[in-house]
């Protein structure tokens, strides 16, 4: 295996308290094109352990920033539970705070910022592109929640129970909360080109709600690409995962502006 690059962990002051951030940079002098690689879950966290996808981005000249936003595990119950009832929006506040640090004190080129993630990270990517359209240059979302109400009605029962806990009720009982937290509500505000990958047999983030979102992008001619594959919530086939990573990085490289440095 090729050698890796050092990982730096730091703390960035956020609206809900200090945010733990992991940073990797390629060789050379910045600022670099930077991918914010947002973890899924949301009850999970990024740690200092080998992960192939961030390594691939670094190998292609990107800085990689991973954010343990409110909702992540490992930082106390209050931190994990903070996203309830403002689902998605709380996490994006933390990601925006880290973005501000990254372009003022960190390694990031503000004109070449990729928001990316899979599953819950894909959901936050699509939501962020609509809620924070001026902050991001490109979006890359894998198996995301895109139309939250439709996803709720199509998903497995265990996830319905989780979503009711997060939102405090069903879409019919808490319509404003669900509307505010659904990427499709904000799709017409999206400015960045968007790459979406989706499993056509995904029980966790079903394909119909992704197609609803894509149709809205297409209706206004927004730049986007969709890769559909015959699997579920991601793939365990190494060749397929390599292909998807190649498609994601290639999309970003085609749509990011050239360096002005």
């Amino acid at each position: 295996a090729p050698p890796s690059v050092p990982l730096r962990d730091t703390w960035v002051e956020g609206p809900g308290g200090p945010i733990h951030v992991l940073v990797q940079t390629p060789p050379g002098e910045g600022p670099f094109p930077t991918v914010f690689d947002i973890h899924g879950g949301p009850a999970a966290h990024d740690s200092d352990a080998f992960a192939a996808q961030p390594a691939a981005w670094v190998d292609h000249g990107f800085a990689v920033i991973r954010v343990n936003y409110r909702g992540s595990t490992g930082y106390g119950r209050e931190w994990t539970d903070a996203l309830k009832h403002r689902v998605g929006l709380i996490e994006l506040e933390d990601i925006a705070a880290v973005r501000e640090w990254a372009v003022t004190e960190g390694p990031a080129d503000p004109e070449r910022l990729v928001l990316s993630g899979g599953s819950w990270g894909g959901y936050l990517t699509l939501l962020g592109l609509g809620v924070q359209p001026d902050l991001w240059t490109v979006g890359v979302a894998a198996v995301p929640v895109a139309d939250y109400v439709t996803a709720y009605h199509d998903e497995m029962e265990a996830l319905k129970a989780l979503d009711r806990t997060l939102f405090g009720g069903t879409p019919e009982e808490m319509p404003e909360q669900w509307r505010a937290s659904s990427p499709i509500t904000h799709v017409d505000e999206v400015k960045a080109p968007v790459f979406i990958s989706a499993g056509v047999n995904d029980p966790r983030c079903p394909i119909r709600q992704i197609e609803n979102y894509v149709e809205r992008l297409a209706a206004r001619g927004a730049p986007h690409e969709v890769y559909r594959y015959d699997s579920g919530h991601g793939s365990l086939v190494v060749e397929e995962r390599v292909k998807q990573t190649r498609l994601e990085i290639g999309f970003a490289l085609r749509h990011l502006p050239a360096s002005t440095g």
Side-chain angles (χ1 to χ4, degrees):
S4 186
V5 299
L7 183 147
R8 176 165 63 100
D9 67 337
T10 188
W11 294 85
V12 174
E13 192 60 40
I19 307 162
H20 187 205
V21 180
L22 306 178
V23 183
Q24 292 167 278
T25 55
E29 296 294 325
F32 302 101
T34 299
V35 57
F36 283 71
D37 184 21
I38 308 303
H39 73 73
H45 63 272
D46 284 315
S47 61
D48 186 359
F50 176 74
Q53 193 151 348
W57 285 97
V58 172
D59 283 349
H60 285 79
F62 287 82
V64 176
I65 294 178
R66 288 176 281 171
V67 182
N68 284 321
Y69 51 77
R70 279 174 288 172
S72 302
T73 54
Y75 304 91
R77 176 56 58 188
E78 183 178 352
W79 189 264
T80 300
D81 288 346
L83 60 82
K84 288 183 178 179
H85 311 318
R86 291 190 63 238
V87 178
L89 304 172
I90 286 286
E91 301 97 294
L92 289 177
E93 290 177 1
D94 289 352
I95 294 167
V98 175
R99 179 205 178 276
E100 178 65 19
W101 167 84
V103 301
T104 56
E105 303 178 44
D109 180 343
E111 303 301 320
R112 297 188 292 163
L113 298 178
V114 180
L115 185 60
S116 177
S119 192
W120 195 266
Y123 158 62
L124 293 177
T125 294
L126 295 185
L127 186 64
L129 296 179
V131 173
Q132 305 165 334
D134 295 323
L135 300 189
W136 310 107
T137 318
V138 172
V140 175
V143 291
V145 175
D147 173 357
Y148 216 143
V149 173
T150 300
Y152 173 82
H153 290 300
D154 288 358
E155 69 192 10
M156 61 181 77
E157 288 300 323
L159 287 179
K160 288 183 179 180
L162 171 63
D163 286 337
R164 289 193 298 270
T165 299
L166 290 177
F167 284 97
T170 68
E172 292 72 30
E173 293 166 336
M174 311 293 289
E176 289 306 311
Q177 287 88 336
W178 284 78
R179 182 182 181 280
S181 294
S182 181
I184 202 168
T185 301
H186 313 279
V187 65
D188 291 337
E189 306 303 317
V190 173
K191 299 178 181 179
V194 188
F195 180 88
I196 299 173
S197 60
V200 297
N201 298 300
D202 188 347
R204 299 180 67 86
C205 297
I207 191 68
R208 182 169 72 106
Q209 51 96 24
I210 294 174
E211 300 292 8
N212 291 347
Y213 185 91
V214 171
E215 287 173 8
R216 289 281 297 274
L217 288 176
R220 63 183 184 90
H224 69 283
E225 291 182 18
V226 183
Y227 173 65
R228 302 170 182 85
Y229 56 97
D230 187 18
S231 187
H233 195 62
S235 176
L236 298 178
V237 178
V238 171
E239 185 176 342
E240 175 63 30
R241 294 174 68 183
V242 170
K243 178 181 180 180
Q244 291 180 25
T245 300
R246 183 184 299 116
L247 290 171
E248 292 171 355
I249 295 174
F251 182 87
L253 290 172
R254 289 196 305 276
H255 288 279
L256 288 176
S259 172
T260 56

